[in-house]
Amino acid sequence: MKKYLLSTLVALTATLSQAQETTASDALRYAMDDLTGTARFRGMSGAFGAVGGDLSAININPAGSAIYNYNSASGSLSNINTKNKSNYFGWNSSDSESTFDLNQLGIVLVFNNKREGDWKKVAFAINYDNTKNFGNSIYSRGTNPNNSISNYFLNFANTANNGGIVPINLLDNSSSISTGYAQLANLPNNAYPFLSGFQAQQAYLGYQAYLFDYDDGSTSGNAPVYVSNVPTDGDFYQTNSVVTTGYNGKLAANFSTSYLDRLYFGANLNVHFTDYKRNSSVYEMNNSTATTRVEALQFDNQLYTYGAGFSFNLGVIAKVTNDFRLGLAYESPTWYRLNDELSQRLIGYSMVNGAALDADYIDPAVTNIYEAYTVQTPGKITGSLAYVLAKKAVFSFDYARKDYSNTKFRPENDKTFQKVNTSMSDNLTAANEFRAGVEVKIKQFSLRGGYRFEDSPYKNGKTIGDLNGFSTGFGFNFGGSRLDFAYAYSQREMDSPFISSGMNDAARIKATNNNITATYTIDF
């Protein structure tokens, strides 16, 4: 059951297991990975499924560690810059964010079989990669001629408790409030943490900020309904600021072996970590001529999601000839167990007969701590080929396929999760990914380049668009060690809604990522 932590440190237990509003974008946060890893791996756009011999390559095909001839260790530092250009109803704005981190660290140990036999080599590796960096900042603004953000709160008020208008259920342990059901108008100012569900809390915030009033239908003869205090005769100037921090990390324990130096087999057991923080603030001001109205509002949310997961990889590389290789790999779904913490604040600005009233600050000073839940991301299959001229050049190509419609929230009997799972099954699709890379060696120097393309995970191809990216890099081999550098660029467009429900309008974001990575590798 859901739990709440009050500012007074009194723990309460809710009646619903998981009622926070969840969307496909929350699941895709964990289902979609960035291109991360060593500078050599990034310099060739990750086209390493049949190449191997790189610690980040074992995330694509775990058989790649058996390509190593020596023990090796590497560490990578990255600078990641993300720039977002936003268009909302013809208004353009931009924002950017830069982060610096230690994104890769690993070691591989190689044991050669000096006795006669078909199994020539065994390798063990452990490697950590930041598979996704959440450092990002998006700012959008514009004038919406149609829809008010206040509809978000009004809709919750009119559809609370399984589709019926409030009264809203109160928790049994609401010590200072009479339990059972109550109309919003009868709730005291401290009712927020005692309400049975996310939907009821949103309705409560809107009512306390005077965004709508209750019409019992006694005058009109209609059914009871909540009616908006926000006028519709003007336009709505709206802004949206979203700042995110955190990461997805993966620790891979790898085993591989070589048969006759022609077939390489490998497997990974992976532990995943995630830490995600999202601070968002939406603001709206209307230019209605009505002298009594809600003229502006501001809605702030702080979400913290953390947890861990598990997955595994299987792979094989076949050396068809001394120069030509084929690879095939499978990455299982990742099963995350996640926890959410959410705090909210709503500010309403009203006027009566042309005179501005004091702002209504609705700040419950409460952090909602929800019961843990599970996200299952889709598995992935990768086919690869490579042409490797020892000490001269490498040409490689990877093709991967991932069916995002298989993404699921659990427990599946939760009504919120049932709705979003059905939506993902209907709207997400299988996506293809293509990666191509080349490396040319000139004595101690290596020059690299690569290209990658990823399909949109959405059937409409628009909610999140296709990704295009390229990379380049170089390295210098000192004999027993190597220093590599890479630059990677990618771009894709996506929709960024101001609010999760109540209005369908979204800003169109053009996201550009620039990444610089340096890796030091030592053989021993």
Side-chain angles (χ1 to χ4, degrees):
M1 287 181 288
K2 188 190 303 178
K3 294 181 179 179
Y4 298 92
L5 181 64
L6 301 183
S7 57
T8 57
L9 301 182
V10 177
L12 301 176
T13 303
T15 57
L16 298 179
S17 60
Q18 179 64 41
Q20 184 190 358
E21 192 170 41
T22 310
T23 65
S25 62
D26 296 311
L28 292 177
R29 186 187 311 141
Y30 305 101
M32 299 176 68
D33 291 332
D34 293 335
L35 178 67
T36 62
T38 67
R40 185 177 180 229
F41 182 82
R42 285 185 168 182
M44 295 174 63
S45 289
F48 265 82
V51 178
D54 185 277
L55 278 164
S56 291
I58 67 175
N59 291 322
I60 304 296
N61 190 330
S65 60
I67 301 295
Y68 277 97
N69 293 317
Y70 309 99
N71 300 334
S72 185
S74 67
S76 303
L77 295 171
S78 285
N79 177 262
I80 305 162
N81 175 267
T82 302
K83 184 174 183 180
N84 297 293
K85 293 183 178 181
S86 171
N87 183 282
Y88 186 63
F89 287 98
W91 291 58
N92 296 314
S93 52
S94 63
D95 205 351
S96 63
E97 181 73 19
S98 292
T99 57
F100 183 84
D101 64 14
L102 175 67
N103 71 284
Q104 180 273 327
L105 190 66
I107 185 171
V108 57
L109 301 176
V110 181
F111 301 90
N112 292 294
N113 183 9
K114 298 181 180 180
R115 300 178 181 179
E116 292 185 4
D118 296 335
W119 299 95
K120 301 296 184 181
K121 187 190 306 180
V122 173
F124 298 93
I126 187 166
N127 185 65
Y128 174 81
D129 270 311
N130 267 6
T131 58
K132 196 175 188 69
N133 187 296
F134 291 131
N136 200 8
S137 183
I138 298 175
Y139 177 76
S140 305
R141 65 190 179 104
T143 298
N144 188 329
N146 303 311
N147 297 310
S148 169
I149 292 168
S150 64
N151 293 334
Y152 168 84
F153 303 95
L154 182 62
N155 285 0
F156 280 122
N158 283 325
T159 59
N161 294 323
N162 300 318
I165 193 171
V166 290
I168 291 176
N169 190 20
L170 293 169
L171 303 180
D172 291 339
N173 52 1
S174 50
S175 57
S176 61
I177 309 172
S178 59
T179 59
Y181 286 86
Q183 297 287 350
L184 285 172
N186 298 327
L187 296 177
N189 293 334
N190 64 336
Y192 178 92
F194 303 104
L195 299 176
S196 62
F198 178 81
Q199 294 86 348
Q201 288 179 333
Q202 307 314 291
Y204 171 85
L205 289 173
Y207 187 81
Q208 290 293 312
Y210 298 98
L211 301 186
F212 49 83
D213 284 323
Y214 181 58
D215 180 356
D216 63 7
S218 59
T219 302
S220 64
N222 297 322
V225 68
Y226 283 93
V227 292
S228 177
N229 288 328
V230 178
T232 59
D233 63 336
D235 296 330
F236 305 96
Y237 174 75
Q238 298 166 343
T239 68
N240 184 31
S241 174
V242 181
V243 178
T244 58
T245 59
Y247 66 93
N248 277 351
K250 179 167 75 172
L251 182 65
N254 168 266
F255 166 81
S256 65
T257 185
S258 167
Y259 180 75
L260 295 175
D261 285 331
R262 288 290 182 182
L263 288 175
Y264 304 87
F265 303 92
N268 292 350
L269 294 178
N270 309 307
V271 178
H272 300 255
F273 312 92
T274 187
D275 190 275
Y276 173 79
K277 294 181 180 180
R278 183 181 190 269
N279 291 296
S280 64
S281 179
V282 293
Y283 173 81
E284 174 182 290
M285 179 176 63
N286 64 72
N287 62 359
S288 169
T289 58
T291 58
T292 298
R293 71 182 193 275
V294 174
E295 60 177 341
L297 64 90
Q298 180 178 322
F299 185 37
D300 301 329
N301 284 263
Q302 292 182 328
L303 173 67
Y304 178 36
T305 301
Y306 56 94
F310 169 79
S311 70
F312 64 89
N313 299 67
L314 301 172
V316 59
I317 296 175
K319 188 183 291 185
V320 181
T321 69
N322 288 334
D323 298 328
F324 183 64
R325 301 175 187 173
L326 295 175
L328 182 65
Y330 170 73
E331 179 182 346
S332 77
T334 301
W335 295 273
Y336 282 101
R337 186 169 177 81
L338 302 176
N339 301 271
D340 285 347
E341 298 182 7
L342 177 69
S343 59
Q344 302 180 297
R345 181 183 71 165
L346 177 62
I347 308 172
Y349 302 88
S350 301
M351 65 166 55
V352 175
N353 296 325
L357 303 178
D358 292 338
D360 296 296
Y361 285 84
I362 315 304
D363 187 353
V366 170
T367 299
N368 298 316
I369 302 178
Y370 299 95
E371 186 180 75
Y373 60 98
T374 300
V375 175
Q376 177 185 312
T377 69
K380 182 168 72 172
I381 296 177
T382 302
S384 313
L385 57 87
Y387 189 75
V388 182
L389 291 173
K391 299 181 181 180
K392 293 183 180 181
V394 176
F395 304 91
S396 60
F397 176 81
D398 285 4
Y399 165 75
R401 186 173 177 85
K402 181 186 289 189
D403 191 346
Y404 288 97
S405 66
N406 292 328
T407 308
K408 288 182 174 61
F409 284 99
R410 290 192 171 95
E412 293 188 66
N413 61 355
D414 183 278
K415 291 182 179 180
T416 301
F417 290 159
Q418 287 176 350
K419 182 178 179 180
V420 72
N421 286 343
T422 299
S423 175
M424 290 191 296
S425 178
D426 292 341
N427 296 300
L428 300 182
T429 188
N432 303 304
E433 181 181 358
F434 304 93
R435 298 186 298 268
V438 60
E439 179 182 55
V440 177
K441 298 182 179 181
I442 306 171
K443 295 183 179 180
Q444 294 160 297
F445 287 94
S446 297
L447 301 176
R448 305 181 184 104
Y451 171 79
R452 68 183 179 119
F453 171 85
E454 293 181 17
D455 279 332
S456 165
Y458 280 88
K459 290 180 180 178
N460 63 18
K462 182 179 181 296
T463 306
I464 296 178
D466 297 337
L467 179 143
N468 281 277
F470 68 84
S471 60
T472 187
F474 64 93
F476 185 84
N477 193 323
F478 298 98
S481 63
R482 188 175 73 246
L483 185 60
D484 297 298
F485 297 90
Y487 166 74
Y489 167 94
S490 65
Q491 186 177 94
R492 80 188 320 159
E493 294 187 5
M494 65 195 73
D495 289 338
S496 177
F498 277 40
I499 208 76
S500 57
S501 63
M503 54 179 264
N504 297 322
D505 305 311
R508 189 64 177 171
I509 306 298
K510 185 177 183 180
T512 302
N513 292 282
N514 294 277
N515 182 286
I516 297 174
T517 301
T519 300
Y520 182 70
T521 303
I522 184 169
D523 299 327
F524 59 96

